[in-house]
């Protein structure tokens, strides 16, 4: 068989997907597995968004749109940033993609040359290093600690800057830690980017899932240097609809849209129409978000309390729908520990290996309270028997 490319041979498959697949295989073989691996809301999308999708089909809005997104959606995104964040963008500064993931990839492809460095606080979302690698860059991790709530120090980020640094990634609330960075940390990191003339990629996907503390985008402090990566997946429970948006300086956005125009063209037209409704029907969408937040807070509190009671140290995060838990009482190696949990307790979590979180695992609480109770009960029985 002919050879594959070196770039693809080096690319790692997502560990989140790998453990999800393992859990699904067990489920198919008849085992009742509590899956706490997924990074997606378990809620159905809001009714008014579903209605808008039907309307798009009925109106025949099913053709190609401009690669960068419909004018209506880009206007609605500008309005969202003005209303919710006090940020001023024009539609020419917005690029709509197939999920925040594509927007992020477009961004890395648009700014990185071979060997350029990208600073990323760790534990980090697994797609950052993978995308950086594909774009020819090198990830430089800045470790954070559970005792600091996984918030990086501005000083540590400053020390990681070298003449090769091109981008700093900021992700608050964070996947996988749930950390919400205090405004002064966001400001400090954004000012570093401006001072050293670096790009700041502010991954704001989890903006609406902040339970304590205050959300602020890096763009508030360094707008000329910032690409916001945002989207509809997490806040509106629209993961499969694949709509993300980037906001930033026009020159960067143009380059990203040019790339997307040659690779995938526009994001799904029907989903663009529906997300326009999610952004414009402000009150209905706010009520949906408030309902999901109440549920997430109750689930987080129960999960964190339960895991700590079992002796698995778990800081209480302020946002997103993940917790990082110390699995070393089960096994010093996190992959072994997660495998034991899956095979013996039938609870699926993602080991921290690919997040650069040794000894830890990510539990997603985007699942029902009933599942959380079931998982804690099983973990209790397992930990009680083995520690
Ligand atoms: C930190 C972070 N950024 C971006 C994304 C991309 O989400 P989507 O492509 O569904 O918009 C995710 C999804 O898991 C994420 O966790």
């Amino acid at each position: 068989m002919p050879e594959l490319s070196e770039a693809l041979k080096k690319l790692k498959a997502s560990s989140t997907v790998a453990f999800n697949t393992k859990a699904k295989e067990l489920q198919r073989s008849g085992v009742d597995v509590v899956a706490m691996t997924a990074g997606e809301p378990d809620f159905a999308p809001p009714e008014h968004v579903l209605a808008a999708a039907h309307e798009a089909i009925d109106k025949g809005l099913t053709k190609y749109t401009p690669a960068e997104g419909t004018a209506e959606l880009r206007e609605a995104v500008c309005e969202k940033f003005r209303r919710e964040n006090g940020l001023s963008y024009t539609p020419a500064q917005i690029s709509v993609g197939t999920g925040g993931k594509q927007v992020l990839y477009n961004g890395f492809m648009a700014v990185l040359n071979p060997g350029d460095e990208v600073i990323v606080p760790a534990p980090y979302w697994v797609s950052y290093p993978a995308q950086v690698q594909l774009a020819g860059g090198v990830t430089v991790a800045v470790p954070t600690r559970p005792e600091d709530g996984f918030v990086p120090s501005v000083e540590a980020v400053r020390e990681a800057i070298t003449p090769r640094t091109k981008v700093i990634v900021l992700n608050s609330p964070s996947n996988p830690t749930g950390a919400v960075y205090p405004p002064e940390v966001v400001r400090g990191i954004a000012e570093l980017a401006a001072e050293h003339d670096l790009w700041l990629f502010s991954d704001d996907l989890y903006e609406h899932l902040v339970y304590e503390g205050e959300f602020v985008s890096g763009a508030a402090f360094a707008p000329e240097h910032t690409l916001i990566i945002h989207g509809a997946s997490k806040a509106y429970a629209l993961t499969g609809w694949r709509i993300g948006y980037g906001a930033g300086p026009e020159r960067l956005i143009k380059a990203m849209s040019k790339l997307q125009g040659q690779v995938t063209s526009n994001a799904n037209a029907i989903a663009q129409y529906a997300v326009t409704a999610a952004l414009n029907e402000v009150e209905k969408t706010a009520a949906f978000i408030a309902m999901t937040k109440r549920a997430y807070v109750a689930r987080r509190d129960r999960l964190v309390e339960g895991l700590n009671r079992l002796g698995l140290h778990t800081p209480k995060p302020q946002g997103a729908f993940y917790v990082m838990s110390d699995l070393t009482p089960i096994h010093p190696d996190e992959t072994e520990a997660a495998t034991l949990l899956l095979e013996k307790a039938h609870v699926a979590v993602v080991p921290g290996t690919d997040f650069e979180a040794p000894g830890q695992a990510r539990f997603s609480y985007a699942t029902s309270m009933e599942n959380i109770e079931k998982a804690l009960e099983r973990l209790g029985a397992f930990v009680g028997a083995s520690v």
Side-chain angles (χ1 to χ4, degrees):
M1 198 171 74
E3 266 304 329
L4 299 175
S5 71
E6 291 308 315
L8 262 289
K9 278 196 269 181
K10 275 192 237 149
L11 186 70
K12 268 195 192 170
S14 158
S15 57
T16 319
V17 173
F19 259 75
N20 231 344
T21 308
K22 265 193 188 178
K24 293 232 164 82
E25 273 166 20
L26 263 182
Q27 276 167 337
R28 260 198 305 277
S29 69
V31 179
D32 171 33
V33 176
V34 181
M36 303 188 80
T37 43
E40 66 177 342
D42 54 319
F43 299 99
E47 288 292 333
H48 61 290
V49 179
L50 297 176
H54 285 288
E55 192 179 296
I57 295 171
D58 294 342
K59 285 184 166 171
L61 299 174
T62 53
K63 306 285 192 198
Y64 291 132
T65 76
E68 63 273 22
T70 63
E72 293 78 10
L73 177 51
R74 284 178 296 128
E75 293 270 1
V77 171
C78 291
E79 186 49 29
K80 170 253 175 301
F81 284 125
R82 193 199 57 71
R83 185 177 65 239
E84 297 183 350
N85 311 94
L87 297 172
S88 171
Y89 290 104
T90 64
Q93 294 179 284
I94 307 296
S95 181
V96 176
T98 298
K101 212 173 207 174
Q102 187 182 27
V103 173
L104 184 71
Y105 185 64
N106 289 345
F108 285 133
M109 289 296 285
V111 305
L112 291 181
N113 288 312
D116 283 349
E117 293 175 359
V118 178
I119 294 174
V120 189
Y124 45 56
W125 182 42
V126 290
S127 291
Y128 296 137
Q131 293 197 359
V132 167
Q133 183 188 321
L134 280 172
V138 178
T139 296
V140 175
V142 171
T144 64
R145 307 181 309 167
E147 52 271 39
D148 298 328
F150 296 109
V151 174
S153 81
V154 177
E155 230 13 73
V157 175
R158 183 194 298 278
E159 281 165 17
I161 296 174
T162 75
R164 293 310 309 262
T165 307
K166 194 71 176 281
V167 182
I168 303 174
V169 174
L170 233 174
N171 175 219
S172 165
S174 152
N175 174 9
T177 67
V180 177
Y181 299 177
E184 64 272 19
V185 172
V186 175
R187 175 194 280 272
I189 294 174
E191 286 177 353
L192 277 183
E195 183 189 324
H196 293 264
D197 201 20
L198 307 173
W199 290 106
L200 179 70
F201 280 15
S202 189
D203 182 340
D204 298 349
L205 255 289
Y206 294 91
E207 165 180 2
H208 295 97
L209 303 179
V210 172
Y211 314 121
E212 291 99 24
E214 186 192 338
F215 170 82
V216 61
S217 173
F221 306 110
E224 298 299 316
H225 291 82
T226 303
L227 171 67
I228 294 182
I229 295 102
H230 216 307
S233 290
K234 313 293 176 177
Y236 316 140
L238 293 173
T239 42
W241 299 46
R242 312 305 303 128
I243 298 293
Y245 15 92
E250 195 171 330
R251 196 163 62 93
L252 170 61
I253 293 294
K254 251 198 185 139
M256 290 165 56
S257 298
K258 180 169 72 174
L259 169 66
Q260 188 173 301
Q262 294 290 23
V263 179
T264 57
S265 297
N266 62 275
N268 181 292
I270 300 159
Q272 285 192 61
Y273 188 86
V275 170
T276 307
L279 290 166
N280 287 344
E281 295 185 34
V282 176
E283 279 178 24
K284 288 182 189 163
T285 299
F288 175 82
I289 292 173
M291 178 277 290
T292 62
K293 277 174 73 168
R294 276 192 301 276
Y296 288 138
V297 167
R299 295 167 182 185
R300 174 201 63 174
D301 291 352
R302 177 68 187 108
L303 181 62
V304 168
E305 176 230 11
L307 290 172
N308 280 308
R309 197 178 292 173
L310 294 175
L312 304 175
H313 179 63
T314 308
K316 188 187 210 168
Q318 296 181 308
F321 38 59
Y322 311 104
V323 301
M324 290 296 279
S325 192
D326 178 5
L327 294 193
T328 51
I330 293 171
H331 196 288
D333 178 277
E334 65 281 352
T335 304
E336 292 291 331
T339 306
L340 281 170
L341 287 192
L342 179 60
E343 290 175 354
K344 306 283 185 223
H346 300 154
V347 175
V349 298
V350 184
T353 321
D354 294 346
F355 305 131
E356 284 218 10
Q360 302 183 50
R362 187 191 78 178
F363 288 67
S364 163
Y365 54 88
T367 186
S368 67
M369 191 65 109
E370 204 184 333
N371 275 342
I372 290 168
E373 293 293 354
K374 200 155 80 167
L376 287 172
E377 209 171 283
R378 290 178 183 187
L379 292 176
F382 176 69
V383 172
S386 66
V387 175

